[in-house]
Amino acid sequence: MREEDSNWFAKWEKELPSPEELMPLSQTLITPDLALAFDIRNPPPNHNHQSTPPPLQTTAQSSQPNSSAELDSVELVGSGGGGDDGGVAGAGGGVGSDEPARTLKRPRLVWTPQLHKRFVDAVAHLGIKNAVPKTIMQLMSVDGLTRENVASHLQKYRLYLKRMQGISSNGSGGVGGSSVSVDPTDHLFASSPVPAHFLHPGRPNSDHFLPFMPVAAMQQQHQMAAVVGPGQGQRPHHHHQQLQQQFRHFGTSPPNGQFDHPFIRQSQQQVQRMGAPVHISNGSVAPPLYVEDLESPRAGNGRKVLTLFPTGDD
DNA sequence: TTATTAATAT
DNA sequence: TATATTAATA
């Protein structure tokens, strides 16, 4: 009975990111606006406090076919609105003179599977209870991520979870049968496993045999700005397999559906991240790490997009 | 003040 | 389409 719970719990825990994965994995999401505002173009010296991981990429990820440097995180695609170019004016040109860095519009954030995974992991760690935008954002430790970003994503994610709950007893063997099934829009969410308790929050005693989502090989977007122009469909994707196993876990929480984390304390403003040297918009900002201008990979119409990906695995 | 949600905008 | 933004509400 309970052991079953422990079962999935252990299973799930295995997938959880280790502290080492979580902390240092801070993504380098830099808002171009911020960068521009600071007029930074080169990476400032890394002021580590003491034990910050160095050069990352410890694993056998030696090959980075990316000739464009190890730009591993940010990618912006210019936009303008297909066919419509008159939108630039205004603040766009004035950047640099004033310090509108405070009220600049950031480019759209692209939720890559990796980023989403961090999101899910964070929520899993926090428990549904504490999984509120602010907290999630803090736990994620992603540079440049705003509460709004998370809130927006969380909203959609919750809807997704709700949809998933709807289909519990669906044998759905028929391929050509009914409809309930994969929504093309759920691909992103499907790329990350959903903790069981997410689906049934108030059901500690459910010995439902969880069908478990086929987390087999899912689609994976490579580093590519997912920009789509109006009329231009973005269909073809790259298929890749991703498998990252991690061990090590902390947090001894009972499989009750929710738990909270002992650490991650937020006083008021100063969030002592476990060591993530990330600080961004929030009163004082430390110069971002680095920015790099990349040419739009394939922006049909050119929409400003910000995509960040982690040190990933390929 | 933040969180949540629906509606709406880009 | 995916994400942002807004407005209303708790």
Side-chain angles (χ1 to χ4, degrees), chain A residues 23-24 45-55 272-279:
Chain A
M23 288 181 5
N46 266 340
H47 29 254
N48 292 339
H49 268 235
Q50 16 183 272
S51 54
T52 308
Q272 246 233 354
R273 266 214 210 70
M274 317 176 178
V278 288
H279 9 36

Side-chain angles (χ1 to χ4, degrees), chain A residues 145-162:
Chain A
L145 236 200
T146 68
R147 189 169 60 83
E148 318 280 322
N149 286 136
V150 176
S152 184
H153 192 65
L154 180 60
Q155 186 173 20
K156 220 198 155 193
Y157 185 59
R158 280 172 172 160
L159 291 176
Y160 168 75
L161 290 183
K162 235 163 218 193

Side-chain angles (χ1 to χ4, degrees), chain A residues 16-19 21-27 115 117-127 130-143 145 150 250 259-266 271-276 278:
Chain A
L16 291 178
S18 63
E21 260 285 298
L22 208 49
M23 288 181 5
L25 216 170
S26 90
Q27 317 227 19
L115 191 54
K117 182 177 194 257
R118 275 190 78 88
F119 169 84
V120 174
D121 285 342
V123 175
H125 276 292
L126 290 167
N130 303 324
V132 295
K134 202 180 190 175
T135 322
I136 296 172
M137 176 194 66
Q138 284 163 177
L139 227 200
M140 283 179 76
S141 295
V142 173
D143 246 4
L145 236 200
V150 176
F250 43 88
F259 20 84
D260 48 297
H261 240 252
F263 42 85
I264 177 186
R265 255 217 188 299
Q266 198 224 1
V271 184
Q272 246 233 354
R273 266 214 210 70
M274 317 176 178
V278 288

Side-chain angles (χ1 to χ4, degrees), chain A residues 18-288:
Chain A
S18 63
E20 294 171 3
E21 260 285 298
L22 208 49
M23 288 181 5
L25 216 170
S26 90
Q27 317 227 19
T28 17
L29 200 187
I30 267 169
T31 86
D33 300 311
L34 201 62
L36 285 175
F38 278 79
D39 204 52
I40 12 175
R41 324 156 163 262
N42 56 353
N46 266 340
H47 29 254
N48 292 339
H49 268 235
Q50 16 183 272
S51 54
T52 308
L56 46 85
Q57 263 175 12
T58 349
T59 27
Q61 221 111 109
S62 43
S63 164
Q64 193 117 45
N66 207 337
S67 49
S68 270
E70 68 258 314
L71 211 216
D72 56 20
S73 300
V74 205
E75 198 168 294
L76 1 149
V77 194
S79 129
D84 166 9
D85 43 348
V88 185
V95 190
S97 287
D98 261 4
E99 38 183 6
R102 248 98 233 220
T103 166
L104 270 181
K105 257 139 112 188
R106 304 163 170 260
R108 285 164 68 97
L109 171 70
V110 174
W111 285 89
T112 63
Q114 284 87 1
L115 191 54
H116 176 64
K117 182 177 194 257
R118 275 190 78 88
F119 169 84
V120 174
D121 285 342
V123 175
H125 276 292
L126 290 167
I128 313 273
K129 266 188 350 222
N130 303 324
V132 295
K134 202 180 190 175
T135 322
I136 296 172
M137 176 194 66
Q138 284 163 177
L139 227 200
M140 283 179 76
S141 295
V142 173
D143 246 4
L145 236 200
T146 68
R147 189 169 60 83
E148 318 280 322
N149 286 136
V150 176
S152 184
H153 192 65
L154 180 60
Q155 186 173 20
K156 220 198 155 193
Y157 185 59
R158 280 172 172 160
L159 291 176
Y160 168 75
L161 290 183
K162 235 163 218 193
R163 284 208 304 279
M164 291 300 267
Q165 294 186 57
I167 57 162
S168 281
S169 48
N170 185 349
S172 120
V175 186
S178 306
S179 27
V180 212
S181 247
V182 286
D183 269 301
T185 55
D186 292 342
H187 279 173
L188 208 192
F189 293 138
S191 64
S192 202
V194 175
H197 24 313
F198 275 32
L199 300 176
H200 321 259
R203 207 174 243 179
N205 205 13
S206 68
D207 35 298
H208 270 202
F209 28 79
L210 332 169
F212 274 120
M213 294 251 304
V215 194
M218 233 55 210
Q219 295 186 346
Q220 233 222 336
Q221 262 187 344
H222 214 126
Q223 318 184 344
M224 175 170 96
V227 256
V228 199
Q232 292 242 353
Q234 141 209 56
R235 258 276 80 126
H237 273 178
H238 293 176
H239 287 225
H240 246 251
Q241 273 187 321
Q242 160 183 320
L243 185 71
Q244 217 178 16
Q245 280 269 1
Q246 255 136 25
F247 6 82
R248 206 187 199 132
H249 75 288
F250 43 88
T252 14
S253 349
N256 199 336
Q258 41 220 305
F259 20 84
D260 48 297
H261 240 252
F263 42 85
I264 177 186
R265 255 217 188 299
Q266 198 224 1
S267 233
Q268 219 164 31
Q269 245 185 356
Q270 270 242 338
V271 184
Q272 246 233 354
R273 266 214 210 70
M274 317 176 178
V278 288
H279 9 36
I280 53 154
S281 58
N282 210 335
S284 23
V285 192

